[in-house]
Amino acid sequence: MTSPQSLARRMAIAVFRISLRRCPAAFRREYGGEMQRLFEERVQRAAGLGLFSLLKVAAGGCLDVLAGVPRARATHKPGTLFPREPVMTMVAHDVRLALKSHVRRPGFALTVILTLSISVGAVVTVMALINGAVLRPLPYPEPGRIVSIVEADSRGGSSPLSPPSLQMLRENTRAFDTIAGFSPSWSLFLAGREERVLTSVYMSDRAFDLFGVAPLQGRLFGTDEYLKRQRVAVVSQSLWRREFAEEPLGSQSISLDGIPYTVVGVISDSFKMPITASEANPTTSRAEVWLPFSLNPFFEAPNVPVMHVVARLRPDLNGPQAEQQVAVAATAFPGGPSEGRSLQVVSLAELVSNEVRRSLTLLLAGVVCLLLICAANIIGLVVARMARRAGELAMRRALGASRARLIAQLSMETGILAVLGTAGGVLIAALTLGALPALLVSGLPPSTTLAVDAPVVLGAAVLALLCTLAIGVWPALQASRSVGWASNQLTARHTAGVAARRTRKILMVAEVALAVTLLMGAGLMARSFWLMSRTDPGFTTDGLFATGVGFSEAKYPTAGHRLAFIDRALAELAGVPAVSSSAAVNRLPFSGSNVLVGLEVEGQPLEDGRPVTMDRRVATPGYFETMGLKVLEGRDFGIEDTTESTDRVAILNDAAARSLFGESHLGRRVRLALRGGPGPWLRVIGIVADVRHHGLGEPIAPEVYVPYSQSPVESMVFVVRSASDPWTLASPVRQTLKRLDPDMRVLESDQAVVGDLIQESVAEPRLRAIMVNGFAAVALLLAAIGIVSIVSVTVAQERREIGVRLALGARHRQVARRVVGHAMTLVGLGAGLGLAGGLFASRVLEGLLFGVSSTDVLTISTVLLLVSGVGFVAAYLPARRIISIEPIEILRPE
Amino acid sequence: MTLNPRNFLPLTPIALEILVALGDGERHGYDIMTAIERRTEGAMSPNPGTLYRAIDRLAREGLLRSSDRAFGRNDSRRVFRLTPLGKQVVAAEVARLMDQVRAARGARLLKKVTGG
């Protein structure tokens, strides 16, 4: 019987037997013998028809068995002692069980729900802020196509364009359907006895069209009004309601900066200008008045960057293509950008949110880190709880509960807490967002809309899902896996202990790593703020008090009138008791306002035909002395510098002098590009020390000072110095000025202690530093709590092992040292990971730092020391309990 | 609780063949296979895996019952026979199929079918 056929037959039978082994045992026991017999009979029969038939039948039979294995397994599942229940019934049952167990011991459940609610609430709130301020499209038709054209410098900064650029772009580019411009400004609004500052916006023609604005009442501006200076205004719905009780428009007028404007139209409050928070007036944040651009003082100035140019891209073009056209147009235009600067096309949405994007991202990173640490702590608790229940789980498994069933039930127990916690978080976020705009409005662009909408809900849902998976399902998987291999309760408890210990180690490392990352960021921010607040502003702030005044055109029509008032006021102020010196300037440092001017040096050719841009200050004699500014060379302005004197003069700050001349400054002549063209030549008579006009963290700008007597501008700020508390000067200064002119506008809001202004200027970095440090402190605390709880659980679960060691002669202290040592290894590992994470994350911070590098050794080593110290204490406290362990007690059989 | 035979419908082709093959008394596996082959003129020749999985399912559902029967001196084989429920289910399934045949004929889809 060694013919090929008989060999094939025997092999086929062997293969069939092997195939049969894949079937479930119960099925095999019942039918295996019969199946094999049937197979043999079929093969035998086929052998008579030839080898090919035999092989065909054999292969078909084997494959048929193998193909049916999954189905056979499905019907012969082990442990299906009880009939399967419908899924929903089981879920409902699990939910009931879970709720019951939590109601019985509410402490654990409440802790988890509360912790999660708060941290998820924080994350969702920040997500909504980012969504509202950064991600949500601007509220204009086809917002994706609206771009802004800015002049960018090589350092990544950007500025608006000069008003004449608008016409240049319109004539030389074909990339846009519409190009328009606007310029936000502040105006002093006078209504009845009320005086307040509001945000006004100069609009070019087509600007309203571009933003899709239609008047609610009346009309928008006509072509003439855009080009010729006509005093007309469009007001917001809320201003219309407040001032005119929504009466139909007739000949109503409003007074801005003492000048009447005819109100021609009203637009809805739902229209929000695309301006950043810092451009809007902090007290109102929203534009309330619109004026035609022709009224802007720099309407024809070729070099003053005040116009925000916005454009609607043609649908068939993208940003880079448009930018190419713009760049070509810029070179063709004589007043184009100077060396190192170029025109760029950027998304308007990006531009508006740029200011807050980084702060919000930072905030999000902070709250997410906190959430992660909270979650890690909760997971630690859950894992410990499940490890204690390992015996019970093993018993249930042995009684026929499938692993899936156990996982489902355990997940439900903690998953339900995660769901409740995240739901609570969303609720907290919704409540917070309702209260937030009032609190945070000054930091967000006015076009922001805060709401819990679809993207936020989606984000919250993803967050909820992740939390549920991490807190509910993951520990359940761990617990059930270890139980799966255990044959009895004792080994179950042991293997569960091993798995739980591994999990706890991972959690501890993660918590420490997150805390270190946050602490590094916090340390850098704190150090950077500390350095910034210690930066010398360039002048002495002690006892310095400022009061702003504005001249109305009606009462002070000429320079002589204004000059006379200032002279008399300064003379009177000098007589006020406690005033040691007084002077006036047009723009006070740290006031947030500035005047830019083009400057040309005699004998030096213009670069690209454009003068250098610098800050212009108009000051009275004695200003430098009052401010405590050193005159480095030459002299201060004096009474001899008058309108009549043929010799016009100027003083430069150190930065300007160095950038313009290098050596020998005095006696050189410069002239300023003024509204009506180049001004007269000014002789440089002095050099003064630099002032950080724009903020402690900002670079020093070149400045040119001119005497008030030769440039009597319309608004000035009096500065007075006293040896006592500067606030005591508020009332006497105000009274003195009012006595000279009862109608003079002296605003309480324009009175300020200069030292306070500096404090306010660092308020944002301070807030950021406080915020990040607050997060970091909480993170450190949470991580410490995590370490304490993890080490306590470890000590509790290793009692037996510890008892054995003690019984074998180990000293308490040795054992405790070992436990603390293990914990510290994990802390070290976490710190290492956190350090890497921190170094990576601090690159994001770089732009927010001042005077400190993102890899500052002092900060990093302080953080590492702090974390090791806290980690050691947190590990040592629970480890102390080992001292109380008596080996005899532990080793007594259970 | 009486089980409604309709709850088991429709049957798979192999299940129906097995039940029909058992219509005239008990048979063992090989017997069932050859009965199906005969009836279908070789068009259907179930492999052992397919056959016994179907038998297993029918047995679990209570449509057939198995027992061991001695064949010759040392040989015993597992034989199967219909339960009363199995008979009802076959009848219900055949009635359902007949109804479908009638419907197909009414729709003139079975032109050449002669009566019987």
Side-chain angles (χ1 to χ4, degrees):
Chain A
M1 281 271 285
T2 48
S3 70
Q5 263 160 352
S6 83
L7 189 69
R9 200 168 59 108
R10 271 188 286 168
M11 277 179 60
I13 291 168
V15 171
F16 187 79
R17 263 194 214 138
I18 294 168
S19 310
L20 262 185
R21 273 186 223 156
R22 308 286 308 150
C23 290
F27 181 76
R28 220 166 49 223
R29 267 197 306 278
E30 191 76 16
Y31 304 111
E34 291 288 324
M35 284 170 78
Q36 196 181 325
R37 201 153 162 180
L38 180 57
F39 181 76
E40 283 172 23
E41 279 160 349
R42 277 173 68 92
V43 169
Q44 184 70 45
R45 204 174 56 180
L49 298 171
L51 187 60
F52 182 71
S53 296
L54 185 153
L55 290 176
K56 201 173 123 189
V57 166
C62 294
L63 287 176
D64 178 54
V65 168
L66 290 175
V69 166
R71 233 177 308 152
R73 279 195 183 157
T75 41
H76 286 267
K77 253 214 213 121
T80 43
L81 212 54
F82 308 102
R84 273 170 78 90
E85 283 181 75
V87 174
M88 281 322 289
T89 322
M90 289 201 297
V91 170
H93 178 71
D94 287 351
V95 170
R96 249 195 325 275
L97 264 186
L99 285 178
K100 252 189 216 165
S101 86
H102 292 315
V103 168
R104 232 178 292 133
R105 272 165 309 174
F108 171 77
L110 283 180
T111 312
V112 172
I113 292 175
L114 222 73
T115 323
L116 259 189
S117 291
I118 294 169
S119 45
V120 169
V123 174
V124 174
T125 306
V126 178
M127 286 198 312
L129 287 179
I130 291 182
N131 178 51
V134 181
L135 299 180
R136 194 197 296 255
L138 293 171
Y140 313 120
E142 295 181 82
R145 279 172 53 208
I146 303 185
V147 293
S148 183
I149 302 167
V150 297
E151 193 173 308
D153 60 32
S154 49
R155 290 175 306 145
S158 68
S159 58
L161 307 186
S162 63
S165 312
L166 180 63
Q167 203 49 41
M168 177 275 280
L169 287 167
R170 280 181 179 169
E171 282 164 11
N172 295 295
T173 57
R174 294 283 164 273
F176 309 100
D177 284 345
T178 317
I179 308 180
F182 67 91
S183 179
S185 173
W186 301 1
S187 300
L188 182 78
F189 177 70
L190 204 65
R193 304 301 302 162
E194 183 207 15
E195 289 178 344
R196 72 193 172 88
V197 178
L198 50 71
T199 303
S200 54
V201 185
Y202 295 98
M203 299 290 268
S204 84
D205 54 325
R206 305 183 210 170
F208 282 120
D209 290 347
L210 194 133
F211 294 126
V213 183
L216 207 63
Q217 260 281 319
R219 59 177 179 87
L220 300 174
F221 305 126
T223 320
D224 260 16
E225 288 160 343
Y226 281 120
L227 298 176
K228 297 174 188 155
R229 300 176 178 227
Q230 294 181 15
R231 298 197 190 282
V232 286
V234 167
V235 299
S236 72
Q237 195 181 357
S238 49
L239 192 136
W240 181 45
R241 184 177 313 135
R242 246 191 350 260
E243 297 303 323
F244 308 116
E246 299 198 350
E247 276 170 31
L249 288 180
S251 54
Q252 287 97 327
S253 72
I254 53 169
S255 159
L256 297 174
D257 296 323
I259 300 165
Y261 291 79
T262 311
V263 178
V264 296
V266 176
I267 56 183
S268 162
D269 278 346
S270 62
F271 171 64
K272 295 168 179 172
M273 287 302 295
I275 52 182
T276 63
S278 61
E279 285 164 341
N281 173 353
T283 55
T284 60
S285 95
R286 294 187 39 183
E288 289 180 275
V289 173
W290 289 264
L291 307 170
F293 211 100
S294 54
L295 294 177
N296 187 291
F298 303 103
F299 181 46
E300 279 156 347
N303 296 307
V304 187
V306 291
M307 186 186 254
H308 294 253
V309 174
V310 282
R312 184 177 291 279
L313 263 182
R314 252 172 44 194
D316 53 329
L317 285 180
N318 59 24
Q321 286 168 325
E323 195 163 290
Q324 258 176 358
Q325 282 203 24
V326 168
V328 172
T331 53
F333 189 69
S338 54
E339 197 58 35
R341 297 174 74 85
S342 61
L343 293 191
Q344 281 185 356
V345 175
V346 294
S347 141
L348 181 64
E350 241 169 68
L351 198 71
V352 167
S353 60
N354 228 352
E355 233 172 56
V356 287
R357 187 178 301 139
R358 204 149 39 178
S359 290
L360 287 179
T361 313
L362 196 67
L363 197 62
L364 184 67
V367 290
V368 166
C369 271
L370 278 196
L371 175 64
L372 286 175
I373 297 179
C374 280
N377 268 341
I378 295 173
I379 295 171
L381 287 176
V382 172
V383 167
R385 230 167 91 101
M386 285 191 182
R388 279 199 297 276
R389 289 172 55 188
E392 174 208 328
L393 298 183
M395 176 72 86
R396 284 166 60 184
R397 190 93 169 82
L399 284 175
S402 67
R403 189 176 164 210
R405 194 74 194 77
L406 274 191
I407 292 174
Q409 206 177 336
L410 290 177
S411 310
M412 190 60 76
E413 271 187 37
T414 42
I416 206 166
L417 299 181
V419 169
L420 287 174
T422 42
V426 173
L427 189 71
I428 288 180
L431 292 176
T432 317
L433 286 170
L436 207 56
L439 302 175
L440 241 176
V441 80
S442 61
L444 297 176
S447 53
T448 306
T449 323
L450 290 181
V452 179
D453 60 359
V456 177
V457 168
L458 190 72
V462 170
L463 207 61
L465 183 70
L466 290 178
C467 283
T468 312
L469 285 178
I471 294 170
V473 179
W474 187 56
L477 279 174
Q478 294 270 345
S480 73
R481 183 185 301 149
S482 51
V483 166
W485 306 114
S487 54
N488 62 41
Q489 292 199 30
L490 210 65
T491 41
R493 215 171 290 158
H494 174 72
T495 47
V498 172
R501 205 176 305 165
R502 196 182 46 229
T503 311
R504 279 199 299 269
K505 282 181 185 170
I506 296 172
L507 291 174
M508 192 157 144
V509 170
E511 280 184 49
V512 173
L514 285 167
V516 167
T517 302
L518 262 183
L519 277 170
M520 263 180 68
L524 289 173
M525 302 294 279
R527 209 163 127 66
S528 142
F529 169 70
W530 185 73
L531 286 173
M532 190 186 285
S533 59
R534 284 170 54 93
T535 303
D536 181 12
F539 58 91
T540 326
T541 59
D542 300 335
L544 212 51
F545 189 79
T547 302
V549 294
F551 297 109
S552 75
E553 211 178 64
K555 203 161 179 187
Y556 296 89
T558 68
H561 289 94
R562 298 196 285 271
L563 211 51
F565 178 83
I566 294 281
D567 282 346
R568 275 174 57 210
L570 285 176
E572 291 281 327
L573 285 173
V576 171
V579 168
S580 57
S581 68
S582 59
V585 70
N586 64 335
R587 295 291 191 268
L588 196 66
F590 295 91
S591 64
S593 78
N594 184 33
V595 177
L596 278 171
V597 72
L599 181 139
E600 191 184 335
V601 179
E602 190 181 35
Q604 280 184 13
L606 293 181
E607 263 181 76
D608 306 325
R610 286 162 55 112
V612 194
T613 307
M614 55 176 66
D615 297 359
R616 183 182 75 151
R617 312 273 169 259
V618 180
T620 62
Y623 173 68
F624 302 126
E625 189 207 325
T626 308
M627 293 294 281
L629 271 171
K630 239 183 239 137
V631 177
L632 303 174
E633 275 180 63
R635 63 169 178 91
D636 186 4
F637 299 127
I639 43 165
E640 65 273 29
D641 306 313
T642 60
T643 337
E644 286 79 41
S645 62
T646 47
D647 199 14
R648 299 291 185 120
V649 295
I651 293 176
L652 297 175
N653 75 346
D654 199 24
R658 265 180 290 124
S659 73
L660 287 178
F661 310 123
E663 293 301 313
S664 72
H665 327 295
L666 296 183
R668 300 286 294 264
R669 298 214 300 169
V670 296
R671 70 177 173 187
L672 308 182
L674 299 176
R675 279 182 219 176
W681 287 106
L682 312 173
R683 190 164 54 83
V684 177
I685 55 162
I687 308 294
V688 290
D690 293 331
V691 172
R692 286 186 187 269
H693 184 92
H694 303 276
L696 292 176
E698 299 296 323
I700 289 167
E703 291 175 311
V704 54
Y705 292 88
V706 292
Y708 186 74
S709 51
Q710 294 176 354
S711 310
V713 292
E714 290 84 0
S715 70
M716 285 298 272
V717 181
F718 288 102
V719 277
V720 289
R721 188 182 288 283
S722 105
S724 56
D725 178 8
W727 268 119
T728 57
L729 294 175
S731 166
V733 168
R734 200 178 153 79
Q735 280 163 11
T736 307
L737 296 175
K738 282 280 183 191
R739 200 166 55 236
L740 287 176
D741 176 2
D743 293 335
M744 177 54 71
R745 297 202 311 261
V746 182
L747 301 177
E748 264 173 50
S749 60
D750 278 358
Q751 291 201 301
V753 171
V754 179
D756 292 352
L757 286 179
I758 296 182
Q759 286 307 306
E760 275 165 35
S761 78
V762 291
E764 206 192 323
R766 180 173 43 218
L767 184 72
R768 230 170 5 219
I770 291 175
M771 183 181 86
V772 177
N773 275 278
F775 283 148
V778 176
L780 186 63
L781 183 70
L782 285 173
I785 293 173
I787 295 173
V788 169
S789 82
I790 285 170
V791 175
S792 323
V793 171
T794 310
V795 171
Q797 297 205 328
E798 287 179 1
R799 271 177 87 84
R800 271 188 88 78
E801 191 192 325
I802 292 169
V804 172
R805 280 172 189 273
L806 292 175
L808 290 177
R811 290 198 197 140
H812 281 98
R813 200 189 302 161
Q814 278 176 322
V815 179
R817 197 182 298 149
R818 194 177 137 269
V819 171
V820 173
H822 277 181
M824 288 312 287
T825 314
L826 296 177
V827 169
L829 194 60
L833 285 175
L835 186 66
L839 286 175
F840 180 74
S842 60
R843 284 192 303 183
V844 183
L845 292 182
E846 226 145 50
L848 298 173
L849 298 181
F850 175 80
V852 55
S853 101
S854 61
T855 53
D856 184 50
V857 177
L858 181 66
T859 309
I860 292 175
S861 40
T862 312
V863 166
L864 291 183
L865 262 176
L866 179 69
V867 170
S868 331
V870 170
F872 178 79
V873 174
Y876 176 73
L877 290 177
R880 254 187 347 181
R881 245 177 276 160
I882 291 170
I883 311 279
S884 66
I885 291 180
E886 283 299 328
I888 301 288
E889 273 174 35
I890 290 169
L891 297 179
R892 213 172 277 152
E894 285 188 347
Chain B
M1 191 178 81
T2 53
L3 289 167
N4 185 349
R6 282 174 200 280
N7 292 349
F8 296 87
L9 305 189
L11 293 174
T12 58
I14 181 73
L16 181 59
E17 288 295 345
I18 293 168
L19 295 180
V20 168
L22 295 173
D24 47 3
E26 62 179 31
R27 291 175 190 269
H28 55 66
Y30 185 71
D31 220 359
I32 295 175
M33 182 191 80
T34 46
I36 293 173
E37 281 175 348
R38 254 200 321 277
R39 200 199 69 68
T40 61
E41 293 169 344
M44 195 186 249
S45 171
N47 270 308
T50 306
L51 184 68
Y52 277 98
R53 275 197 306 276
I55 288 176
D56 179 42
R57 199 174 58 247
L58 292 169
R60 279 164 171 269
E61 289 175 348
L63 303 189
L64 52 77
R65 195 171 294 150
S66 67
S67 52
D68 289 331
R69 180 85 61 228
F71 285 82
R73 212 168 295 153
N74 292 325
D75 195 13
S76 97
R77 298 196 72 156
R78 177 70 56 93
V79 294
F80 307 93
R81 89 180 103 77
L82 285 181
T83 60
L85 176 64
K87 283 181 186 159
Q88 290 172 22
V89 170
V90 174
E93 173 71 353
V94 171
R96 187 183 70 84
L97 290 174
M98 298 266 281
D99 185 48
Q100 284 190 336
V101 169
R102 265 197 300 280
R105 191 175 284 154
R108 301 190 180 278
L109 291 167
L110 300 178
K111 272 181 193 154
K112 295 202 171 164
V113 173
T114 50

